[in-house]
Amino acid sequence: MDVAQSSDRRRVGWLLAGVGMLSVSTDSLWIRLSEADGIDVAFWVACCSVPLYTALSHRVDGCWPLEAFRRHPWQQLVMGALTGGSQFCFVIAVTQTRVANVVAIVAAVPLLAAVSAWIWLRERISRAMAIAITITMAGIGAIVSSSVGEPTLKGDLLGVLAILGFSVSLTMWRRYPDMSRLVGLSIGGVMTVAALVYSASPLSLDVRAYLSIAAMGLVFNPFGRLALSNAPRFAPVADVALFSPIETVAGTIWAAAFFNELPRPVAAIGAAVVLVGVFYGTVATTRAKA
């Protein structure tokens, strides 16, 4: 593969990562708008996404889901646990603490994913990417410095677990580029439904909750996660993870616009720094090499 082809593939990975992160950044919005219990939201989102993933699997993968599963059985089970677990932790976290806290914690993904990829795939981090990650983390530090632990530390810790699972899942997607994304995501949904079926109260919600969950579970979340799972096919894990701060910035905007959770001045400055880091790690470095 020549340099031009490699650069083009990388841009495709960036596009998928950017679109995916922007799409899933609405998760916190739909969860809060539903005003439902986190367990009920997680249960219904999984119920919505599993049939959708399964229906798309045969057309996209070119075979039945069971056949795709047999090609990477244990990997699919691990991926299901990672994707299902990380989404569950994220949903509960948003109901337990400030949206700004959770989305700020999510932005630590670039560092964790880069370390995970280095350990398991031996993907080296370029100097430019290391600088970009450092800039991004500095911005996140500013955003989260005055808010972590409010109103509950439990929500923040669940947010940390969510990004750990997501960071490792990016490495798995990169390690097995031929593994069915749709089957892996479906398994995650099935695991979530099985884990919550006895604790959820899915028929006790109001119309507002059902509409919010439908928007999240049938449109924004599944297609965002599908884009993110495909991004590592085209770009290194560190590149893909660098786009996670998009969720931080967009999620903070949703919280301010819909719930009047206005970011503190230092958080606004931090968001600007985050965007600088993402720009430097992608567009700026590519132009410098041209």
Side-chain angles (χ1 to χ4, degrees):
M1 182 182 298
D2 59 30
V3 175
Q5 289 177 319
S6 178
S7 180
D8 288 342
R9 285 182 59 82
R10 209 163 195 170
R11 288 191 181 95
V12 171
W14 293 349
L15 177 62
L16 288 170
V19 171
M21 280 298 177
L22 185 60
S23 183
V24 300
S25 75
T26 62
D27 283 358
S28 56
L29 169 63
W30 302 120
I31 294 168
R32 281 295 187 86
L33 282 177
S34 73
E35 296 183 352
D37 183 78
I39 290 178
D40 293 333
V41 174
F43 178 84
W44 267 119
V45 168
C47 287
C48 290
S49 61
V50 169
L52 180 62
Y53 289 140
T54 303
L56 290 173
S57 178
H58 180 63
R59 179 175 294 274
V60 174
D61 296 329
C63 63
W64 294 107
L66 183 58
E67 182 180 345
F69 171 76
R70 287 172 176 169
R71 294 173 183 172
H72 301 89
W74 71 266
Q75 294 94 332
Q76 293 281 19
L77 291 174
V78 171
M79 186 55 67
L82 288 171
T83 58
S86 63
Q87 173 147 311
F88 173 74
C89 288
F90 179 86
V91 170
I92 302 300
V94 170
T95 63
Q96 294 289 324
T97 188
R98 289 167 55 93
V99 171
N101 288 36
V102 180
V103 296
I105 292 169
V106 165
V109 167
L111 183 60
L112 294 174
V115 171
S116 175
W118 178 77
I119 292 174
W120 298 107
L121 306 179
R122 294 303 175 189
E123 281 189 356
R124 293 189 175 184
I125 305 172
S126 67
R127 181 180 179 183
M129 187 58 62
I131 293 173
I133 291 175
T134 301
I135 294 172
T136 301
M137 296 306 296
I140 295 312
I143 293 174
V144 77
S145 61
S146 59
S147 63
V148 169
E150 299 177 2
T152 65
L153 182 60
K154 178 183 177 181
D156 295 334
L157 292 177
L158 286 170
V160 172
L161 288 177
I163 66 168
L164 283 172
F166 178 67
S167 299
V168 177
S169 70
L170 287 179
T171 303
M172 287 282 290
W173 291 131
R174 179 70 170 174
R175 173 64 179 82
Y176 300 100
D178 298 328
M179 181 169 62
S180 171
R181 271 57 181 159
L182 289 161
V183 171
L185 293 171
S186 295
I187 291 174
V190 171
M191 288 182 174
T192 300
V193 171
L196 301 180
V197 66
Y198 292 111
S199 55
S201 301
L203 301 181
S204 63
L205 309 182
D206 57 22
V207 174
R208 173 176 176 168
Y210 288 124
L211 290 176
S212 298
I213 291 171
M216 177 181 171
L218 292 174
V219 183
F220 291 93
N221 183 272
F223 287 103
R225 286 159 68 86
L226 187 58
L228 286 170
S229 66
N230 278 283
R233 281 177 166 166
F234 302 93
V237 172
D239 284 33
V240 176
L242 189 62
F243 282 84
S244 60
I246 289 177
E247 182 171 0
T248 300
V249 177
T252 301
I253 293 173
W254 307 143
F258 291 90
F259 312 117
N260 202 32
E261 288 188 9
L262 300 176
R264 297 174 175 85
V266 68
I269 295 173
V273 173
V274 164
L275 293 178
V276 170
V278 175
F279 178 83
Y280 178 80
T282 54
V283 178
T285 54
T286 300
R287 288 180 177 176
K289 293 176 183 178

